[in-house]
Each structure stands twice: as C-alpha cells, then as structure tokens.
Amino acid sequence: MQAKAPEQQRRGGHLRQRLLSMASDLPSMQKLQLQLAAAPAAASLLPALAVAALILLLATARRCSPAGSSFLDAYRSGVAIVSTPPSSTPPPRAGAGAAAAAAARVPPGCDIFKAGEWVPDEDSPYYTNLTCPLIQEHQNCMKYGRPDTGFLKWRWRPAGCELPRFDAAAFLDAVRDTSMAFVGDSLARNHMQSLMCLLTKVAYPKDISKTANPEFRTMHYESHNFTVAIFWSPFLVRGYQPDRRRHMWAIHLDEPDPAWAASGGAAIASFDRVVISAGNWFTRPAVFYESGRVVGCHYCLLPGVPDLTHRHSLRMAFRAALRVLVTAPGFGGTVILRTLSPTSHFEGGEWDKGGDCRRTRPLAAAEARARMVAGLDGDFHAAQVEEFARAKAAAAEATGGRVKLVLMDTTAAMEMRPDGHPSRYGHWAHENVTLYNDCVHWCLPGPIDAWNEMLLQMLLPGYASS
C-alpha cells in the first residue's frame, strides 16, 4: 500500500490540475469553490463519478459572451439560455385556477402603474445571478463586478395601495395550458428573462426552439404546459439597413415585420397572449416608406425628403403592428402593450459621447415626471397610449371582444430608476470590447422584476384593463 502512495499523489496532482484548468474561465467565486474541491481530490482521489458530478454542477454557470460593434447592435444577440435541470412535476391541483384565485391582489380601483414611488424593501431580490442561469451576460451586473447592491433593495408601491409580491406558483397556475409571446427588441427579451428567473422558484423551462437563431427562442414549462417565446422585432415593422456603412435604416411603416407577422399574423396567432413593446431603435437615422414609396425620414439629410422625426415613425409602426394583431386570422387572445422603457437615463453626455448612469438609488417622483414630460420619452409614451386607445376601439368594433387589448404602462415607474442599468458592468473590466455604457437595458435581478409583479396582477381574473 505504501508503494502506491506516490502513484496516487501523482494521479491526484494531475486531477487537480485538470480541474483548475477547467475553472480558468469561471467567475471568481466558482473558481474558489472548485479549488477547495480539487485539493481533497488530490489527496484522497475522489471517485470519478463524484468528481464528474462536481464538474457538471459548476459548469452550468458558464455562458458565452457575444461580440458587438455598436451600442444597441452589440446587445442584439448572444442570448445564453443555459441548460437547466428540469423541475419535478408538482402534484395535481384541484382546478387549474386554484392557486391563481388565491393569489394576493391589489384592491379595486388601484392603478398599479401611475403616481407611485419606489420604497425600501429588504426582502428583495427574489433571485440572484447564481440561482438563475437564464440571465444574458450583458445584464448580469453582479457577475461583472457592480460594487453596489442597494439598487436591488426597492419595490414599486402604487399610490394608495400595495403591489403584492411576485408569486411564482400563482403565476404558473394563471398561465397553465396557455402560451405567451414577447414581441419587440432586446428589452422584450430582458423582460422575458426576468420572468423566467422569477419562475425558477417553482420550475425551469425546456428549450423547444425550432431555430438556432438566439433572437427567436421558445421555452416550455412542462409541469404547467406553459409556453413562452421571444420574437426579435426592434421596429415591429419591416426595417433593414440597405448599406451598413451609412448607418441609415429603411423602415416600412405600413408593413409589420414578417419575423412575427408573416401571413397576416399567422406566426403569432397561435399564442394566447402577446406582449408587444418597442422604443429605443426609433431614435436611429432612417428613411420612412409607405406603400413602397419614401414619405419622409429622420435625420437623413436627403434633398426634398421631409423630416417627419422618429416620433412619427414610432406612432405609425405601433399603428400597423396593432392593426395586424387585431385582425390576425385565428387570433382570439390578449394583446398587452408595454409602454417604452426610458431612453433618457444617460447623464454627462450622449450614449456615444461618454454618457453613463452611475446613480445608486431611485429618483424622487417629481424629478422623474419632469424628465419624462419634457423630453422624447414623454412624446413616445403619448404616441403609444394614443395608438393603444385607437386599436382597442377598433378591436371592440371588429371582433366583438374576441381580441382584448390591455395597456401595461410601466414608463412612469421606470423613469424613476436610472440606478438599475448595467452601465459598465456588462462585461469584465479588462475585456477589450467595443461596448458603450449601457443605460438602456436592466440588470437582472433588478427593477424590471416589478414588471412581472404587475403582469401577474393583469393575468388574474377580474383585472380591470385600461
């Protein structure tokens, strides 16, 4: 036995080196965990199966960081949906709506969106970046060294009432045997990933996507037969760059994006609920088309082409998208329009001129209202609310209530949270990447988890839609 000791030590040393080598690209905390596990392995040579299990457990946190060359383009792709162990199927319930019916609700007459404030909450957050493996790298602020955690310790309180905390079991019961699609830009994906992280308290989804394109993912919760999907569509209508070198977009304002609206909306008609949102991409220089002809532009500087501004393009794009959803053959579900996430949280310069968002706590309500009403956010918000009202009236007349429209007016609450963005904490500080400070997307966990607290209330029977 003594003669074998040097051989065991040699083999244990090789094992330790292999483990530490595999840890080279893991976050520092995971490296420490692996080093602590590797040292005993070298001494006692743990059974191979146990070591393999340890490696697989730690490897679940690995993600791929996408490359990018410009601000919003850089955050466009690279979704890293990590394989997660399927949750155990919960025992049968006494009726699909039992838990949902028992969920805490806001009182009648409570407007969960407007005239509220963010109040301290020591029970937040619901999850961490270590407990949820479904966070995109660019929104994984704690992994990449954000030094403050105070921004996580707030909750949204509507005026005169309380917004109940998110109940993952109640949410899954409310959506049992249904499907939900998020249509929009990377903030729609941000919203969906927040929802999936919140649901990890109860279940993990299975990736059933029919494409390898990370912009179009479909996830299924087998325990509740709930499907959730993301459709990448930054303008909601057809938009493209004829010449990428010119950074000019061509936006066909009367042609809904075939990525989700192909064949008159057939691609989306199978979903029970559609959450539609957009905003930030409309600030780009663009030429506008209707019926295939140029009708105007935003900052195109073309002779004879009127500047209709990005306010016009956003309004017309929402009008076209909502029209398709209302008239899509076979669609009889609910359309939820989520109003824009603020575009104005850059301070100290524009997004490409050193602007950043380094605040560590919410704004006061009065300051937030002044910022929104006076700027582009207020104009975009007004256009969205007006087009929603137009589409809701059209749906009532055309479908007799078969298609329902609900407004998810999150803008006022989010205007107060300039502290919730990744800023520079969307990648390692030493990485040589071409990314700007991100004051558009939201850290996960973070303020937009409140969107899903709101969404749960909207799904419960008896919710009074706008």
Side-chain angles (χ1 to χ4, degrees):
M1 294 294 291
Q2 291 180 349
K4 293 183 179 179
E7 175 64 14
Q8 287 181 338
Q9 292 175 358
R10 183 181 65 82
R11 292 170 61 190
H14 284 308
L15 177 59
R16 182 175 184 276
Q17 288 303 315
R18 289 179 63 188
L19 286 171
L20 293 180
S21 176
M22 292 183 67
S24 61
D25 63 344
L26 292 174
S28 57
M29 180 60 72
Q30 292 168 337
K31 288 182 185 180
L32 176 60
Q33 292 171 340
L34 193 51
Q35 288 170 349
L36 292 175
S44 60
L45 194 59
L46 291 174
L49 288 177
V51 174
L54 175 63
I55 294 172
L56 289 173
L57 178 63
L58 293 173
T60 58
R62 299 181 65 185
R63 300 179 178 88
C64 301
S65 181
S69 56
S70 64
F71 178 52
L72 282 171
D73 289 310
Y75 301 98
R76 176 177 171 180
S77 60
V79 184
I81 298 294
V82 181
S83 297
T84 55
S87 63
S88 59
T89 303
R93 300 181 184 273
R105 303 180 184 217
V106 293
C110 172
D111 186 339
I112 62 177
F113 301 115
K114 295 181 181 178
E117 61 180 338
W118 291 89
V119 296
D121 180 22
E122 288 303 315
D123 291 331
S124 297
Y126 292 95
Y127 60 92
T128 72
N129 65 315
L130 296 179
T131 63
C132 179
L134 302 167
I135 304 172
Q136 186 172 350
E137 291 295 88
H138 294 310
Q139 282 86 64
N140 200 339
C141 305
M142 307 316 294
K143 172 181 175 179
Y144 291 113
R146 177 162 176 166
D148 62 299
T149 59
F151 77 99
L152 298 172
K153 299 295 184 179
W154 299 86
R155 64 182 175 87
W156 174 247
R157 175 189 285 167
C161 58
E162 297 287 338
L163 179 63
R165 294 182 63 80
F166 187 83
D167 184 333
F171 187 98
L172 284 169
D173 273 328
V175 296
R176 186 188 294 273
D177 299 323
T178 67
S179 55
M180 179 181 294
F182 289 83
V183 177
D185 55 22
S186 50
L187 285 160
R189 183 175 63 231
N190 209 176
H191 186 180
M192 174 174 149
Q193 289 171 340
S194 164
L195 175 61
M196 291 191 296
C197 282
L198 289 165
L199 294 179
T200 57
K201 290 281 187 181
V202 173
Y204 285 91
K206 178 181 179 181
D207 192 340
I208 60 170
S209 306
K210 297 181 179 179
T211 173
N213 187 338
E215 308 294 354
F216 300 86
R217 312 311 298 161
T218 303
M219 314 297 288
H220 184 63
Y221 289 83
E222 295 178 335
S223 58
H224 292 73
N225 190 29
F226 170 55
T227 301
V228 60
I230 178 70
F231 290 80
W232 163 259
S233 185
F235 298 108
L236 303 179
V237 292
R238 187 163 72 95
Y240 56 92
Q241 286 181 297
D243 183 351
R244 289 181 177 273
R245 295 171 298 181
R246 295 189 60 228
H247 304 292
M248 183 70 64
W249 288 79
I251 306 178
H252 292 256
L253 299 178
D254 56 348
E255 297 182 30
D257 187 353
W260 64 270
S263 303
I268 211 74
S270 62
F271 287 86
D272 297 290
R273 298 180 179 91
V274 179
V275 183
I276 187 170
S277 60
N280 291 278
W281 283 68
F282 288 93
T283 61
R284 296 175 173 223
V287 177
F288 307 144
Y289 294 79
E290 292 184 18
S291 301
R293 299 187 305 166
V294 174
V295 295
C297 73
H298 164 57
Y299 202 66
C300 66
L301 304 179
L302 295 176
V305 178
D307 189 345
L308 296 178
T309 79
H310 37 32
R311 295 164 175 82
H312 174 79
S313 62
L314 178 137
R315 176 183 294 278
M316 300 308 293
F318 269 88
R319 183 175 299 181
L322 290 170
R323 181 176 64 247
V324 166
L325 286 166
V326 168
T327 61
F331 180 64
T334 300
V335 178
I336 300 171
L337 190 159
R338 181 179 58 74
T339 57
L340 85 153
S341 185
T343 64
S344 59
H345 282 168
F346 290 94
E347 297 183 273
E350 298 295 328
W351 65 269
D352 58 346
K353 295 181 175 60
D356 203 351
C357 40
R358 301 185 186 182
R359 298 199 184 211
T360 58
R361 59 184 294 124
L363 297 177
E367 183 181 2
R369 284 195 297 272
R371 288 163 57 116
M372 186 181 76
V373 172
L376 178 64
D377 287 345
D379 293 341
F380 274 4
H381 177 263
Q384 289 175 335
V385 172
E386 290 165 9
E387 292 306 317
F388 167 82
R390 173 197 292 266
K392 185 173 182 178
E397 181 178 350
T399 72
R402 174 176 54 85
V403 176
K404 298 180 175 60
L405 273 74
V406 184
L407 187 67
M408 187 176 183
D409 196 350
T410 60
T411 305
M414 303 317 294
E415 184 62 51
M416 301 169 70
R417 294 309 305 270
D419 57 320
H421 301 289
S423 179
R424 66 193 64 187
Y425 301 109
H427 57 86
W428 297 117
H430 64 270
E431 286 184 294
N432 184 21
V433 294
T434 307
L435 295 178
Y436 295 90
N437 297 323
D438 185 357
C439 303
V440 171
H441 303 92
W442 300 92
C443 294
L444 293 180
I448 66 166
D449 291 329
W451 292 358
N452 292 306
E453 292 175 329
M454 298 169 178
L455 182 59
L456 172 56
Q457 294 298 312
M458 298 169 70
L459 298 181
L460 296 177
Y463 175 78
S465 61
S466 301

